[in-house]
Amino acid sequence: MKRLISSCVLALSGTALLSASVMAAEPAACQNVRMGVVNWTDVIATSAMTQVLLDGLGYNTKQTSASQQIIFAGIRDQRLDLFLGYWNPLMTQTITPFVQANQVKVLEAPSLQDARATLAVPTYLADKGLKTFADIAKFEKELGGKIYGIEPGSGANTQIKAMISKNQFGLGKFQLVESSEAGMLAAVDRAVRRNEAVVFFGWAPHPMNVNVKMTYLTGSDDALGPNEGKATVWTVTAPKYAEQCPNIGRLLTNLTFTAEDESRMMQPLLDHKDAFESAKQWLKDHPQDKKRWLDGVTTFDGKPAAENLQLTSK
């Protein structure tokens, strides 16, 4: 009888452990993760890091590269699950209608707190007197009446166009050159090599702050956000995504960065190295980040993440 009772206890214990394991696993619907990515190097780098972690934990992640408007609409229409690149205040005008309609959700804390985004010039131009937004018009001839921005439809371009249309800072005769991040940086690099005047949209984190001796303009009157371009970066998900997929929600909450670290993560990408391989190398070189990001996280099937993360290529 004692042996029978012991056997029953062991069987029940095993069933309880199995049930706990099953309960710890993420719902099956969460295994496929659909991520929106804007073509900004910082967002590409953090998105690659997130995908490497998710895939290494047994998820299947697919990235869709698109503009911010299309990404927010994709989350609204249940075609995308998450986005790691909401720059506040640059994208706030774009995302606000989606937030107000409860079609997307912004996580409670930013993933990056020490970001900055505003107009900038090479420091040699600042030394000549172009230090504020009001100084730009004084250099109209040298600048060719141009301000270099990023991709069409971005929040930054929208705000720069608003300055021009209102003739704010005397910019009414200026033209915004819309391009891509890479296209804008190529134009800046060309101007710097020729020691020519150029005003462009700059931000941190980004290796441009190391590769170009640059100066951010002041006196913006909050035209590109308060506090001379001070910005934060946030993660956006479908409204109930963290409730439905709590393990992914925990990982997303853990994924915080500093501007300095992100700039270093981004440099390999600008050197034309693969974003996913660079993310894996970062995890190998920075075990403290790996430990912090995986705290309280499990694999898709409920095993401790830190001991079971697989970084081998699929």
Side-chain angles (χ1 to χ4, degrees):
M1 179 63 71
K2 289 182 178 179
R3 288 182 180 177
L4 180 58
I5 292 173
S6 297
S7 297
C8 291
V9 170
L10 287 173
L12 289 170
S13 298
T15 302
L17 289 173
L18 178 61
S19 299
S21 176
V22 171
M23 288 177 66
E26 197 84 309
C30 298
Q31 188 166 22
N32 294 320
V33 183
R34 302 165 300 176
M35 184 186 308
V37 183
V38 291
N39 194 30
W40 295 11
T41 306
D42 64 297
V43 181
I44 292 173
T46 56
S47 297
M49 182 67 70
T50 304
Q51 177 163 345
V52 164
L53 290 170
L54 286 170
D55 288 353
L57 295 174
Y59 294 86
N60 299 314
T61 313
K62 178 183 178 181
Q63 293 192 9
T64 297
S65 181
S67 68
Q68 56 195 265
Q69 296 95 327
I70 292 175
I71 289 173
F72 296 142
I75 296 175
R76 175 198 64 196
D77 298 339
Q78 301 179 23
R79 291 181 286 107
L80 293 173
D81 301 310
L82 56 95
F83 172 53
L84 278 82
Y86 161 39
W87 275 68
N88 178 16
L90 286 175
M91 297 181 183
T92 299
Q93 182 176 348
T94 304
I95 197 176
T96 294
F98 297 94
V99 173
Q100 291 178 339
N102 196 33
Q103 296 166 337
V104 303
K105 181 176 181 179
V106 180
L107 293 195
E108 293 183 0
S111 59
L112 180 66
Q113 298 195 52
D114 56 343
R116 188 178 188 185
T118 189
L119 295 182
V121 297
T123 297
Y124 60 75
L125 190 55
D127 291 341
K128 293 180 181 178
L130 207 171
K131 298 181 179 180
T132 72
F133 276 56
D135 293 329
I136 298 174
K138 302 174 186 176
F139 286 77
E140 180 182 351
K141 183 177 180 180
E142 294 93 326
L143 294 167
K146 295 178 179 179
I147 298 173
Y148 286 84
I150 47 177
E151 74 275 4
S154 66
N157 285 13
T158 299
Q159 291 169 309
I160 294 169
K161 284 181 177 179
M163 286 190 290
I164 293 173
S165 65
K166 294 185 293 186
N167 194 29
Q168 192 173 6
F169 308 109
L171 298 177
K173 296 181 180 180
F174 274 74
Q175 172 193 357
L176 173 65
V177 180
E178 297 187 288
S179 181
S180 62
E181 175 190 332
M184 183 196 75
L185 291 175
V188 173
D189 180 65
R190 183 169 57 251
V192 170
R193 283 188 281 106
R194 298 173 179 174
N195 201 43
E196 295 175 345
V198 62
V199 172
F200 59 97
F201 179 65
W203 67 90
H206 196 283
M208 73 172 84
N209 296 273
V210 177
N211 299 334
V212 177
K213 192 174 182 181
M214 56 188 279
T215 298
Y216 288 99
L217 302 184
T218 58
S220 63
D221 292 343
D222 296 345
L224 286 176
N227 302 316
E228 305 294 5
K230 178 177 172 56
T232 50
V233 183
W234 303 71
T235 296
V236 180
T237 69
K240 296 184 179 180
Y241 189 69
E243 299 172 23
Q244 297 166 344
C245 304
N247 190 53
I248 297 177
R250 176 61 182 257
L251 176 64
L252 295 177
T253 300
N254 288 354
L255 279 168
T256 59
F257 308 89
T258 66
E260 180 179 353
D261 280 351
E262 272 198 38
S263 294
R264 288 191 286 143
M265 288 179 191
M266 295 158 68
Q267 188 60 62
L269 279 62
L270 294 183
D271 294 336
H272 307 293
K273 294 182 179 178
D274 182 78
F276 301 103
E277 294 304 318
S278 298
K280 292 174 186 177
Q281 190 61 50
W282 183 276
L283 289 168
K284 293 174 183 177
D285 295 341
H286 300 82
Q288 72 281 5
D289 285 340
K290 174 183 171 183
K291 179 180 179 181
R292 177 168 59 87
W293 291 333
L294 296 180
D295 180 45
V297 177
T298 70
T299 61
F300 171 71
D301 56 3
K303 299 174 184 177
E307 294 88 342
N308 293 280
L309 180 69
Q310 302 294 320
L311 294 180
T312 55
S313 299
K314 289 190 175 181

